Amino acid sequence: MRTLRSFGVVAAILVLVFSCKEPDPKSSPDTRPNIVFIMSDDHGYQAISAYSDKLIQTPNIDRIANEGMLFTHASVTNSICAPSRAVILTGKHSHINGKIDNLTPFDTTNVTFPQLLQKAGYQTAMFGKLHFGNNPKGFDEFKILPGQGDYYNPEFITQKGDTTIAGYVTDITTDLTLDWLKNRRKKDKPFLLMYLHKAPHRSWLPKEKYYKEYTKKTFPLPATLFDDYSTRGTAARTAEMGILKHMTLVYDDKLTPETMKVLGLKDWNDLPPHLGRLTPAERASWDSVYGPINEEFKKLYPSMNDSTLTVWKYQRYMQDYLGTIASVDENVGRLLDYLDKNDLSKNTLVVYTSDQGFYLGEHGWFDKRFMYNESFKTPLLIRWPNVIKPGITEDELVQNLDFAETFLDIAGVDIPSDMQGKSLVPLLKGEKDKWDRDAVYYHYYEYPAEHAVKRHYGIATKDYKLIHFYFDVDEWELYDRKKDTLEIHNVYDDPSYAPVVKEMKQKLKDIREKYKDSDSLSNHYIQIYRDKGLIK
């Protein structure tokens, strides 16, 4: 009996040992979900028809929402390009990852979620616009634009050196992405694919077929195009992003220096440098469309006043801005079609977002930076078949701070304790009872600098938004987000809102402590500007 028992024990141990061995990848392929992260640059949610169809139809981007989830309260922690991307990669606020603005370098000792996914067995690739750093960590392959990159015939940085590729940047980024999927994707491994568009970043150069189409369009004016900021403080009144005063006729609206000379106008006297990359044939086509626009302006300008000039500049802005988005939508469709046709969609999470929101004439502005809604809110659409029920709208407060944690969670990778966001997986699975966030935090640093938006931090709930502008001012603003959706009435000094102010200030204090931000850190970053000679 002892012999039989001993044999039984040994057999059980052997079964346990062999069952704990690493599975043979040939017999047990890794079935963790693939992740496709699509991000455009400065794509306001107002220019996605899943959010609003007043300006443009984006049927391919809308597919992600129709087949998945549309977030209505997605926001950023710092509405400016490179810092937003650093937050996405690290899962940490700007004051923690150190990338507070477009001027400071990214600290490459930061651990990013692609590094962790790569280490965990994911194949990783990045194509398009990263905006900072020439050698992103955690990628098996990358082809990225240097800095802002060019719209036409752009250069790309690769592991094998720089190369120039003929064509239009949005098409090329998609070609590179599809080439990787077709020819170098390892079918026995899950993948992280970051597909990052330059468009619709300034100076908004559309592809030929779209500038020929969109320059013929007229768009509805935003309700606050002629905002006079009478209920706001110094920050709104002094920002340098007004369509009338700060949008340039040459660089932005594509008038020629010759037109400016004829009319006796002064402006930036250079066309966008991207135009210098057009081939003679491409430039001839461009001139055949934008030449007549110049001639028309010469006739109209003598009778224009500030209002009519603002409207003219707004229409030119929308024609080119939305024309670049038309290419993005077309190419998102190409990628989605490939995933669908090659049996990849069912096990692939697809995310569409932007690095922040953007002003499309609201408050008379272009650009971003403020915590006001059009800049603070960012589009977020996620498709995950067999997990997300199609056609869901989610109104919980989420941020770009949450992407890293979400992707790690989906991959079954431990989330580092120093990451500051929350995995969105409970929301994606419809488990809202597991979501407990009631406020989000924001902090903008890049001042004094381009567009002159003052430093500020703040907190937003679904009902209210409290903002503190600091450094060379000390001003507070409070907005009732449900009663004042346009955010034109600052009620901070309204006695009836005194209890709200008190409550929101306490929430702000608590959330700053939670995320380890403070006035001393703000002063530290101000000192960095002084050390660089940017401020006295």
Side-chain angles (χ1 to χ4, degrees), residues 36-89:
V36 174
F37 183 73
I38 311 171
M39 185 165 70
S40 50
D41 193 312
D42 292 343
H43 191 173
Y45 65 90
Q46 316 93 298
I48 295 176
S49 48
Y51 287 96
S52 172
D53 61 1
K54 292 181 180 179
L55 293 174
I56 190 172
Q57 292 292 329
T58 53
N60 294 299
I61 296 172
D62 291 359
R63 279 167 60 184
I64 302 172
N66 296 336
E67 298 168 7
M69 184 175 287
L70 177 78
F71 287 81
T72 59
H73 276 108
S75 63
V76 296
T77 64
N78 184 358
S79 185
I80 186 169
C81 298
S84 175
R85 292 160 192 265
V87 169
I88 289 169
L89 288 171

Side-chain angles (χ1 to χ4, degrees), residues 480-496:
D480 187 324
R481 302 187 77 189
K482 291 190 174 179
K483 292 182 179 179
D484 179 21
T485 57
L486 297 180
E487 295 181 333
I488 56 175
H489 299 293
N490 172 22
V491 293
Y492 180 80
D493 292 322
D494 185 333
S496 66

Side-chain angles (χ1 to χ4, degrees), residues 36-163:
V36 174
F37 183 73
I38 311 171
M39 185 165 70
S40 50
D41 193 312
D42 292 343
H43 191 173
Y45 65 90
Q46 316 93 298
I48 295 176
S49 48
Y51 287 96
S52 172
D53 61 1
K54 292 181 180 179
L55 293 174
I56 190 172
Q57 292 292 329
T58 53
N60 294 299
I61 296 172
D62 291 359
R63 279 167 60 184
I64 302 172
N66 296 336
E67 298 168 7
M69 184 175 287
L70 177 78
F71 287 81
T72 59
H73 276 108
S75 63
V76 296
T77 64
N78 184 358
S79 185
I80 186 169
C81 298
S84 175
R85 292 160 192 265
V87 169
I88 289 169
L89 288 171
T90 64
K92 300 175 185 178
H93 276 276
S94 301
H95 62 274
I96 299 295
N97 69 50
K99 185 65 175 166
I100 60 166
D101 54 29
N102 280 339
L103 308 174
T104 54
F106 178 65
D107 181 356
T108 57
T109 64
N110 279 299
V111 175
T112 65
F113 80 83
Q115 289 174 268
L116 297 174
L117 289 180
Q118 185 186 49
K119 184 178 180 181
Y122 269 67
Q123 187 182 9
T124 57
M126 174 189 284
F127 302 101
K129 181 178 179 180
L130 173 61
H131 188 84
F132 61 85
N134 293 347
N135 188 22
K137 292 183 178 180
F139 292 95
D140 300 317
E141 181 177 335
F142 63 81
K143 291 183 175 68
I144 59 174
L145 297 164
Q148 295 289 0
D150 290 293
Y151 273 104
Y152 281 88
N153 307 310
E155 292 181 4
F156 280 83
I157 299 168
T158 79
Q159 283 123 320
K160 297 180 180 178
D162 296 358
T163 183

